[in-house]
Amino acid sequence: MEWAKDSLRKLEATREVRLSSEPPEFDTYETEKLIDEYHPDYLGMQRNVRVGPNANDGKFPHELADLLESDSQLPFDFDPTVDIETDVLILGGGGAGASAALALEGSGLTVHLATKLRLGDSNTIMAEGGIQASLGVDDSPRRHFADAYVGGHGNNDPDLLRVLCENSADTVRWLGQLGCILDTNEDGTFQLRPGGGTSLPRVLACKDYTGLEIMRVLKDAVLLSSTKTLQNHAALELLDDGSGQVSGAVLWDRSRESLITVSARAVIIATGGSGQLRFQEFPTSNHLGAVGDGLILAYRQGCKLVDSDSHQYHPSGTAYPEALVGQLVTESIRSMGAQVVNAEGKRFVNEMAFRDVLAAAIIREVAEKRGIQTPTDRAGIWLDTPIIDLQNGEGVLRHKFPGIIHRFERYNINPAKQPILIYPTLHYQNGGIQIDRDGRTEVRGLWAAGEVTGGVHGTNRLMGNSLLDITVFGRRAAMSIQSDLPDRRPVTLTSLKGYRESLQSISSQSRLLSPQLFPTKAGMKIAFERKTAIKKPNEGLGVTDQPSFEPPDPFAK
Amino acid sequence: MKTVEIKVAGKTIKARTGETVIHALWNAGMAGLIDTGCVGGVCGACTVTVRSSGGQMRGTDLACMCPVEEGMEIFPCPVDSVLTVAPEPNPTGEKLRVAYPKLDRCTKCGSCTTACPMSIPVMDSVLRMRSGELDKVAEDFTTCIHCGLCRFVCEDGVQPHMMGMWVRRSIGSSKEQDSDKIIEQESPQAELEWEYLLGGDSTDKMNHARQFRKSGKIES
């Protein structure tokens, strides 16, 4: 990184003083102003949606609003005839879906889990930093609650957050029984790390591969269970019984290129987030399939979405090298002491501030020209990673964060010796489908769990609370289904028909089709032609064109 | 930005220097050529083999982690999953041998170590499995993404990643999961504290939460 040597020299010159300095703190007013002026959620890049349960109620990023106002991918003449009959249909093969499947094991119910990619290809598997559990001295579920509530700006649903916090110890125990190995101290107790906004160390980890450890164990357990996994099966639409109860789903079998109708007594949506919609052209840390499918499906059935204007821009996404742009550098590395430093070698924010505050502070620094310009036409801020070894001894960074070392070494950057460049990356969908304590949506027959839901984290999630969320609520949805399993109902597309009718009432209708399944940029089109088009009043045939929408080119300047 | 030409599954595409094979495919509208999952190097969906412009095989890689180079050729190399075996409490080398009898077929060729995109010393670890050093094996496979390339390249049908998983899950689930390790911090004050945190209007709730974070107690 010869091109950055001037700035690196400044950073090294201030390191000794910085190491003994207190981090800069902002008061409440400064914090609010910072977020208001620089956090991407607050820049007015959102709008109302004109149809559905949130019609003129709540803001959505334009990219998501367009998809909510779009027509279904399903051909108009599609007539559902049941191909698969099951008791419980889980949509999504990440941590929440897998947890739900495991909690249904032994229930005697037939369970199908459909996933658009392969089982485990998800955001869960990419989670690095850890999972929160209030196991420390002076800690409690109440203190966990207080941290997450303040971090979420008090917009959390207190009932949901309480459930999350009260189940952390049980969840860690459950993961242990499945065979997850989390880092322990010499006496066998769990290592607890601080996270941004935790008032004491509360984050359990498996190095910087916590999500990988949890997901591969959940996946292995699901493969050994009686759950029937339908890989490469994307959910295209939910089915209902004609009177408002969800009764199954239509899946798109990507391998055979055919539509599959599933009749189910209960459906769990666990389809995750929407980072690949790349709001405001941000890079993302999310997996290929994170385009908000579940939000669209549930919305058409009448489920209200909460806090859909709120997304998490993780402060430390990689800004250089280009091949790693958007990928995560775990928050743990900051909790271990790595400092965030601008081009002048100055520390400008407390590295352990809440994520939205830190992200906004980094964006401001770059906007006001105190960032570091890369030869790839990006800008970032230094994360002074060599501090870890300087303070804790040679080799500690490599031992605790093998993932970061592994990724950067390929580009001849050794984070143990050399700082790395970061810039916020679109990371997490804070809002989503409204659920109750048992993962029930407002619609009978439909449950939801994980990132696709809203309310648990308010408008800013704390590190380590999403791995907890998926395991707690995935399992709760499964338990709730067992105690309250609806009868089998007929499969119809009545709700979709109603939604399609309401779409006709709006002007300048979106030309997209949704759920879009993949970032359209990727060119992964669904291979069937729509046979009929929406009839608009006085207009004959309406739009049938291919989607004109392209998510922003991640490499465009 | 400079562009290079690469070949993926026989198709020539233009790519920008600095980007990965996966992003080059996206920009060319041809993402379907290679199975893709996390795009972050941990799900193991996008396994490929790579030939450099000179014509020599460079070995296996993950397309989402592989930066483009002029003239390189990429061959998709999807690895099917294989049946997994349930973990056993208190695992030993002998139990592992029963679960995965092909363990002893290893001829120490080292292909698995070369193929591993995570730089795990796979062959050494297989030898440790044979001699029953399972704690070390569990450590070796901490960063295993279960892509299956080690099994794919093994001519003798050894399944290192599956055995690594079996060892880790067996050890993990055998550990003491009693209150020694998971100390729930409960107090007789719990209900009072919940009332304090959940009571009042939104301003009260926020103030109470702010106060409670400081010490984990209700300050009078």
Side-chain angles (χ1 to χ4, degrees):
Chain A
M1 288 167 83
E2 190 59 19
W3 45 270
K5 64 177 194 298
D6 290 348
S7 175
L8 279 170
R9 205 174 295 130
K10 287 179 188 166
L11 170 137
E12 277 160 18
T14 59
R15 190 181 277 145
E16 209 176 306
V17 177
R18 276 188 284 116
L19 282 179
S20 54
S21 71
E22 288 296 312
E25 295 289 354
F26 308 135
D27 62 26
T28 311
Y29 171 76
E30 286 169 317
T31 303
E32 279 169 12
K33 189 165 179 296
L34 176 66
I35 288 186
D36 228 38
E37 290 178 5
Y38 289 98
H39 193 282
D41 279 355
Y42 298 78
L43 303 181
M45 305 298 278
Q46 294 155 331
R47 70 168 173 92
N48 277 318
V49 172
R50 292 164 292 175
V51 290
N54 283 82
N56 302 313
D57 171 21
K59 299 272 189 199
F60 296 79
H62 287 285
E63 297 86 344
L64 178 57
D66 290 348
L67 292 176
L68 288 168
E69 290 182 354
S70 298
D71 190 18
S72 169
Q73 303 258 17
L74 267 192
F76 273 78
D77 58 357
F78 180 76
D79 184 21
T81 49
V82 177
D83 299 299
I84 295 174
E85 196 175 275
T86 189
D87 291 322
V88 184
L89 174 64
I90 300 168
L91 302 175
S99 298
L102 293 174
L104 285 159
E105 189 66 4
S107 64
L109 300 175
T110 313
V111 180
H112 281 75
L113 184 153
T115 172
K116 183 164 63 182
L117 300 167
R118 304 175 313 163
L119 183 61
D121 297 353
S122 57
N123 283 346
T124 301
I125 203 165
M126 285 193 284
E128 296 177 2
I131 178 167
Q132 283 201 35
S134 49
L135 306 177
V137 178
D138 291 331
D139 205 356
S140 69
R142 276 82 59 203
R143 194 164 189 175
H144 186 177
F145 177 98
D147 286 343
Y149 191 76
V150 174
H153 301 284
N155 293 316
N156 321 56
D157 178 328
D159 272 350
L160 296 182
L161 182 57
R162 178 174 178 174
V163 167
L164 181 85
C165 299
E166 287 192 314
N167 282 286
S168 69
D170 180 58
T171 295
V172 169
R173 196 174 294 120
W174 181 70
L175 290 172
Q177 286 159 358
L178 285 171
C180 284
I181 301 177
L182 300 174
D183 299 341
T184 50
N185 299 307
E186 275 173 17
D187 64 1
T189 56
F190 287 110
Q191 279 180 26
L192 300 173
R193 296 176 179 178
T198 65
S199 56
L200 38 66
R202 189 186 294 127
V203 183
L204 287 70
C206 172
K207 300 189 186 280
D208 58 350
Y209 284 112
T210 316
L212 174 63
E213 169 66 358
I214 290 176
M215 190 68 240
R216 70 187 166 198
V217 165
L218 294 178
K219 174 179 164 184
D220 195 57
V222 170
L223 292 176
L224 286 163
S225 77
S226 62
T227 297
K228 294 176 186 64
T229 306
L230 304 167
Q231 307 202 79
N232 296 310
H233 281 62
L236 271 196
E237 210 64 60
L238 293 175
L239 296 160
D240 63 281
D241 68 348
S243 48
Q245 177 174 330
V246 167
S247 56
V250 181
L251 309 178
W252 172 242
D253 178 344
R254 293 175 56 213
S255 315
R256 292 187 188 80
E257 301 199 336
S258 62
L259 292 168
I260 310 280
T261 299
V262 184
S263 157
R265 295 170 69 184
V267 176
I268 303 177
I269 296 194
T271 52
S274 55
Q276 287 292 358
L277 296 180
R278 295 177 183 263
F279 307 126
Q280 299 176 45
E281 307 195 12
F282 266 81
T284 183
S285 60
N286 283 191
H287 72 92
L288 171 72
V291 288
D293 296 353
L295 301 177
I296 312 287
L297 298 184
Y299 196 69
R300 287 186 185 144
Q301 296 298 317
C303 291
K304 194 167 178 168
L305 306 180
V306 293
D307 295 329
S308 282
D309 55 346
S310 174
H311 292 80
Q312 183 158 76
Y313 294 79
H314 193 291
S316 43
T318 307
Y320 183 89
E322 193 67 7
L324 298 180
V325 165
Q327 289 186 26
L328 212 57
V329 176
T330 177
E331 186 162 313
S332 288
I333 203 161
R334 285 181 270 121
S335 81
M336 286 274 300
Q339 294 182 346
V340 175
V341 177
N342 69 15
E344 305 303 317
K346 190 169 171 245
R347 193 179 179 195
F348 55 91
V349 61
N350 183 346
E351 291 78 8
M352 297 316 288
F354 290 115
R355 281 180 175 176
D356 52 355
V357 178
L358 181 54
I362 292 172
I363 292 169
R364 176 171 70 183
E365 227 41 31
V366 168
E368 295 179 352
K369 308 289 178 209
R370 292 186 296 274
I372 296 90
Q373 290 294 325
T374 73
T376 44
D377 288 340
R378 294 181 187 274
I381 286 291
W382 293 118
L383 181 65
D384 195 357
T385 45
I387 286 180
I388 303 287
D389 280 10
L390 289 173
Q391 288 199 317
N392 302 280
E394 180 106 7
V396 170
L397 183 75
R398 182 173 292 271
H399 179 69
K400 291 214 182 241
F401 304 100
I404 292 170
I405 297 272
H406 179 79
R407 285 200 298 277
F408 279 87
E409 267 186 341
R410 183 160 194 168
Y411 301 92
N412 297 317
I413 297 168
N414 177 1
K417 301 283 172 218
Q418 179 176 6
I420 53 182
L421 276 179
I422 56 166
Y423 191 77
T425 181
L426 183 50
H427 184 55
Y428 189 79
Q429 173 179 288
N430 292 326
I433 304 167
Q434 187 172 309
I435 53 166
D436 72 6
R437 299 165 55 92
D438 295 312
R440 266 189 294 254
T441 70
E442 297 167 282
V443 174
R444 176 89 178 137
L446 186 63
W447 281 256
E451 189 174 351
V452 77
T453 69
V456 179
H457 308 289
T459 45
N460 177 56
R461 177 177 62 76
L462 263 55
M463 167 187 183
N465 274 349
S466 61
L467 287 177
L468 184 59
D469 178 352
I470 56 175
T471 37
V472 166
F473 284 96
R475 292 166 70 204
R476 283 182 78 87
M479 301 314 285
S480 165
I481 285 172
Q482 288 171 56
S483 62
D484 181 24
L485 185 68
D487 292 331
R488 188 170 304 283
R489 305 286 297 162
V491 291
T492 78
L493 285 164
T494 311
S495 295
L496 174 64
K497 188 162 171 279
Y499 199 78
R500 278 177 157 161
E501 279 163 10
S502 66
L503 282 175
Q504 294 182 21
S505 68
I506 58 175
S507 58
S508 65
Q509 194 193 317
S510 163
R511 292 156 61 83
L512 312 175
L513 300 176
S514 65
Q516 70 174 49
L517 309 191
F518 296 103
T520 38
K521 183 73 202 171
M524 297 170 78
K525 299 238 160 58
I526 296 179
F528 57 80
E529 295 280 320
R530 298 209 318 156
K531 290 182 184 146
T532 329
I534 293 180
K535 275 214 166 65
K536 276 190 165 181
N538 315 320
E539 219 184 297
L541 286 183
V543 283
T544 51
D545 301 9
Q546 285 296 315
S548 61
F549 170 81
E550 295 271 298
D553 178 351
F555 293 91
K557 296 295 173 278
Chain B
M1 196 177 275
K2 244 179 71 189
T3 61
V4 296
E5 267 190 8
I6 65 168
K7 234 181 207 180
V8 182
K11 295 198 168 69
T12 303
I13 60 172
K14 278 204 177 354
R16 283 171 280 193
T17 51
E19 68 184 351
T20 64
V21 170
I22 289 295
H23 283 136
L25 282 176
W26 288 25
N27 286 326
M30 292 201 270
L33 286 183
I34 295 178
D35 291 343
T36 309
C38 73
V39 213
V42 287
C43 81
C46 60
T47 42
V48 293
T49 55
V50 182
R51 187 153 64 194
S52 301
S53 59
Q56 76 272 30
M57 283 311 284
R58 222 177 64 187
T60 49
D61 208 340
L62 300 172
C64 75
M65 288 282 117
C66 179
V68 296
E69 278 169 29
E70 179 63 43
M72 77 186 334
E73 271 191 84
I74 304 287
F75 305 91
C77 177
V79 180
D80 291 335
S81 57
V82 288
L83 287 179
T84 180
V85 179
E88 289 245 4
N90 307 311
T92 61
E94 278 317 304
K95 287 184 184 172
L96 172 61
R97 222 168 238 112
V98 173
Y100 289 95
K102 289 179 183 168
L103 167 60
D104 290 313
R105 286 203 198 167
C106 170
T107 58
K108 306 182 201 171
C109 73
S111 297
C112 49
T113 302
T114 312
C116 178
M118 301 306 284
S119 314
I120 294 171
V122 185
M123 187 193 80
D124 293 347
S125 198
V126 168
L127 299 181
R128 285 193 267 272
M129 292 177 194
R130 283 185 178 180
S131 59
E133 300 164 72
L134 299 191
D135 283 334
K136 184 70 180 79
V137 170
E139 174 75 22
D140 291 336
F141 279 85
T142 305
T143 61
C144 173
I145 60 171
H146 244 241
C147 64
L149 280 171
C150 54
R151 173 182 68 80
F152 187 79
V153 299
C154 181
E155 298 201 341
D156 298 290
V158 184
Q159 303 178 342
H161 68 308
M162 301 304 291
M163 296 191 290
M165 164 68 80
W166 184 92
V167 169
R168 282 186 66 84
R169 280 195 71 191
S170 297
I171 289 178
S173 56
S174 309
K175 289 194 174 177
E176 279 294 300
Q177 294 298 335
D178 58 20
S179 50
D180 271 13
K181 237 171 109 182
I182 300 176
I183 305 159
E184 279 173 86
Q185 304 300 333
E186 273 316 327
S187 89
Q189 301 294 313
E191 266 319 304
L192 273 179
E193 290 173 0
W194 281 123
E195 278 170 29
Y196 176 72
L197 288 166
L198 297 171
D201 61 18
S202 58
T203 314
D204 294 336
K205 282 201 194 76
M206 186 51 107
N207 287 337
H208 290 173
R210 283 211 173 101
Q211 183 278 314
F212 197 84
R213 296 180 69 219
K214 291 181 188 155
S215 61
K217 291 190 191 74
I218 305 172
E219 303 287 339
S220 48

